[in-house]
Amino acid sequence: LQGGLAEMSATEADVLVVGGGPAGAATAAHLARNGADVVVVDKATFPREKVCGDGLTPRGVKALHRVGVDPTEPGFVSVRGLRTHGAGVKLELPWPRLRDFPDFGVVRTRHDLDHLLLQRAQKDGARVWEGAEALEPRVERGWVAGAMVRRQPDAAPVEVRARFVVACDGASSRFAQRAGVRRDPSRPIGVAARRYYRSPHDPGGMFESWLELWDGPRQLPGYGWVFPVEPGLLNVGAGLINTYRRFRDVSARHAFDVFARGLPPEWALTEENAVGPVLSGPLPTSLNRRPLATPGLLLVGDAAGAVNPFNGEGIAYALETGELAAELIHAAIERDRPALAHLYPIELRRRYGRYFTLGRAFVKLIGNPAVMRAATRYGLPRRRLMAFLLRTMANLTDGRDGDLEDRVLHALVRLAPER
């Protein structure tokens, strides 16, 4: 009888996407646009709050275009470059003019952006189940063939059968864990905290970053940011990386408090002007999941650890890895060759492997406060060097330049003091 009821309650689809954030929405939109039957499940109802800096570099803007969202429409704040602060120096760096990327970034709250992306997936034909939790993968003969999903808190689980499942459920990715995926502890992970403030400060269409976080006499190996969300509203945040040997002694909230206290008092970043609480979250970098795919299951976005170790950007890589997963799954379905989808880890490493390797070396270096001080002191006054590093840290080279590694290492040498 139970088996018969399960048969009656089962839903079938080509692809089940677990998680409706940017990674899941992009995966679903690209697949549905190409004719696949896609079901997206997310335990939240949208719009919903999400911890993030809310900023997209030109790489993220390009990915937004490709998923079908216009980043010039009302609601997006255009950003023309980066203003860096440190060692008594303030330097403004416009985004480079490149053939393959736009020359602007954008800011939009994840509350709005994620909802917009999920609506895009729905318009393209994806079925979206909000308030639905994927409880566990369904495995048949070693292949992840769907999941048990609870559509309402008190409802009995239903089975969703799918030819492929894509885990897009964020940094913790409990669903992927239940399929045997584990975090690679050798890859760096960051933490960040942010809060919104009403403020008279106007960043002037720039991302602002601070490369020094001083906790009294001690420099923390992290950075602070102030991003313009809308006129009179700022996203203020701070991040740390675990390559710092005292990382466990410093919380993201503490780093945030240190940073916010050091900002000019005329900006009025007071409790009275705060909009919501301080929220924090992890930044899993450098493809820190093993494996990145199992039979029937692909990991996308934060669930795959696809955050840029150089700058903590995750949205661009969520959108890009979602598009890549969709391309391979579509080819596998169209040609009836399931193994094609499992070229995904190989393609991820081809696209990002070299660049993320450099990023891991970079964050290991700056985890040493002495190196961080030297980098700030000797690097910030050198405009050409900083412009190159901006381009590199935002991954506006695609990591495919043949001499990229030599150029980055040369730049790091130039940053270091002679003694």
Side-chain angles (χ1 to χ4, degrees):
L1 177 61
Q2 288 180 340
L5 289 174
E7 290 288 339
M8 291 173 63
S9 62
T11 296
E12 295 192 357
D14 292 323
V15 185
L16 170 64
V17 176
V18 178
T27 304
H30 286 293
L31 278 166
R33 194 175 300 150
N34 284 292
D37 180 16
V38 185
V39 172
V40 182
V41 301
D42 196 298
K43 62 183 179 181
T45 55
F46 289 72
R48 53 94 173 98
E49 193 73 32
K50 186 70 174 179
V51 182
C52 188
D54 299 331
L56 288 88
T57 66
R59 189 178 189 99
V61 171
K62 178 180 178 180
L64 273 182
H65 269 298
R66 292 184 62 83
V67 82
V69 171
D70 181 1
T72 65
E73 68 180 19
F76 288 96
V77 174
S78 182
V79 175
R80 57 188 174 86
L82 175 70
R83 182 183 299 124
T84 61
H85 303 255
V89 176
K90 181 170 68 175
L91 183 64
E92 290 197 1
L93 300 166
W95 298 115
R97 293 185 177 274
L98 302 170
R99 181 184 62 187
D100 294 334
F101 296 98
D103 63 352
F104 67 97
V106 295
V107 178
R108 188 156 188 178
T109 66
R110 292 288 299 277
H111 178 275
D112 294 345
L113 178 64
D114 290 13
H115 193 205
L116 185 65
L117 286 165
L118 195 58
Q119 288 176 319
R120 176 71 268 167
Q122 285 181 297
K123 290 174 183 176
D124 285 326
R127 291 182 278 167
V128 176
W129 295 358
E130 298 181 45
E133 183 179 5
L135 301 174
E136 61 181 0
R138 301 293 288 167
V139 181
E140 297 178 3
R141 297 185 295 277
W143 187 273
V144 178
M148 296 303 296
V149 177
R150 180 177 285 122
R151 296 198 63 175
Q152 296 178 359
D154 299 326
V158 297
E159 183 179 8
V160 180
R161 296 176 178 171
R163 299 171 70 175
F164 293 95
V165 180
V166 185
C168 307
D169 52 337
S172 62
S173 192
R174 292 183 177 86
F175 183 85
Q177 286 183 34
R178 294 178 185 125
V181 175
R182 296 292 179 264
R183 184 175 74 86
D184 182 347
S186 70
R187 302 295 170 93
I189 187 168
V191 292
R194 70 102 174 100
R195 196 177 200 183
Y196 297 111
Y197 287 93
R198 297 288 176 191
S199 171
H201 175 62
D202 180 5
M206 302 287 282
F207 289 141
E208 293 197 88
S209 70
W210 280 254
L211 304 184
E212 293 180 310
L213 296 182
W214 287 99
D215 186 10
R218 178 177 58 161
Q219 184 177 11
L220 304 179
Y223 65 98
W225 73 78
V226 173
F227 293 170
V229 178
E230 60 185 51
L233 183 66
L234 303 175
N235 180 315
V236 179
L240 295 165
I241 196 75
N242 71 344
T243 54
Y244 176 45
R245 62 184 178 86
R246 298 182 62 183
F247 174 76
R248 295 185 182 277
D249 299 332
V250 183
S251 68
R253 173 61 187 264
H254 179 71
F256 173 87
D257 289 342
V258 166
F259 173 59
R261 283 198 305 265
L263 292 173
E266 60 267 25
W267 292 10
L269 304 183
T270 63
E271 193 65 29
E272 294 74 22
N273 290 331
V275 180
V278 179
L279 298 176
S280 62
L283 299 170
T285 76
S286 306
L287 302 175
N288 74 338
R289 293 297 191 271
R290 294 291 179 269
L292 292 164
T294 65
L297 175 69
L298 280 65
L299 277 66
V300 167
D302 283 8
V307 172
N308 185 337
F310 279 105
N311 64 2
E313 182 177 18
I315 301 174
Y317 300 91
L319 300 175
E320 288 183 2
T321 55
E323 182 177 6
L324 172 61
E327 288 174 353
L328 292 171
I329 291 172
H330 171 68
I333 293 173
E334 191 174 56
R335 302 179 191 180
D336 196 23
R337 295 180 61 188
L340 284 176
H342 295 92
L343 296 174
Y344 178 71
I346 297 171
E347 183 61 18
L348 281 181
R349 294 188 181 98
R350 188 187 72 82
R351 293 190 181 192
Y352 304 122
R354 182 183 175 119
Y355 179 77
F356 283 174
T357 297
L358 286 172
R360 293 196 298 274
F362 175 79
V363 296
K364 187 174 182 180
L365 281 171
I366 65 170
N368 183 326
V371 173
M372 188 66 179
R373 284 194 296 272
T376 304
R377 179 180 175 187
Y378 291 89
L380 269 175
R382 293 168 168 81
R383 184 179 184 85
R384 289 183 62 188
L385 176 60
M386 291 302 296
F388 163 69
L389 289 176
L390 171 66
R391 177 175 171 172
T392 300
M393 292 175 70
N395 197 9
L396 300 180
T397 63
D398 282 329
R400 297 173 187 171
D401 291 350
D403 61 344
L404 176 63
E405 183 173 359
D406 292 339
R407 293 166 66 197
V408 171
L409 291 176
H410 180 64
L412 292 173
V413 168
R414 289 180 60 190
L415 285 173
E418 293 181 2
R419 293 174 180 263

